[in-house]
Amino acid sequence: MTSSRSDRALVGIVGGSRSDFPILEAALAVLGELDVPAELRVVSAHRTPDHLFRYAEDAAGRGIRVVIAGAGGAAHLPGMLAAKTILPVIGVPIPTQHLGGMDSLLSIVQMPRGIPVATVAIGNALNAGLLAAQILALGDPALAERLAAWRSRQTQDVLDDPTNAGG
C-alpha cells in the first residue's frame, strides 16, 4: 500500500499485524493528502524479529526518512526499530481490549536513554502522519507550504462551524 504516486516511499508505516492497519491508515491518508509517499507494511517485533531488523537496517537505503510504528500490548515494535536505525521513529500506541491502550502507551514512551521514540496519543496515527510530514518539511519548502495550507483548512473548518455563527 502506498499513499502517493511516487514509487519511492519517504515514510515507512509499520504495524505488528494487519489488525493495526485500521488505526495506521489515518497516517497513510494524511500523508497522501500532503502528497508524501508512504508505505504500509506488517513487521512484527515478536513473530518476525529478523524481518524487523532487515526492515530497520534497509529503510534509509530505500529512501525512507521517517518511520511510524503502531503497536499494541507489549508494544516493542517502535523501540526495536529505533534500536536498529538512526531514522526518527514515531510510535502509535494501538488501543487494546483489556487496558484500552495504556499498556501500549507506557511500553512505547518508556524508552531507555539514548534510544528515543516520539510518541503520539493512543490510536492517533493522524498526528503521527502529521509529525512525520513536519520532520520532512524541514528540508522541503513545498511540503511546508502544503502543511501550512492543511493547518489553515483545519482552522477554517472550526471557524466555519455553524455553532460559531453570529460571533
Side-chain angles (χ1 to χ4, degrees), residues 151-167:
R151 295 278 293 263
S152 284
R153 286 190 304 275
Q154 182 181 23
T155 299
Q156 197 58 51
D157 287 348
V158 172
L159 295 174
D160 290 344
D161 189 280
T163 62
N164 289 320

Side-chain angles (χ1 to χ4, degrees), residues 41-44 48-56:
R41 297 187 180 186
V42 174
V43 177
S44 173
T48 61
D50 294 335
H51 177 56
L52 178 150
F53 285 5
R54 277 191 307 276
Y55 184 88

Side-chain angles (χ1 to χ4, degrees), residues 5-6 26 62 82 84 86 95 98 113 115 128 134-135 159-160:
R5 294 186 257 341
S6 173
R62 293 187 305 105
K84 294 296 286 181
I86 61 167
H98 298 292
R113 181 178 29 246
I115 309 293
Q134 288 174 306
I135 291 167
L159 295 174
D160 290 344

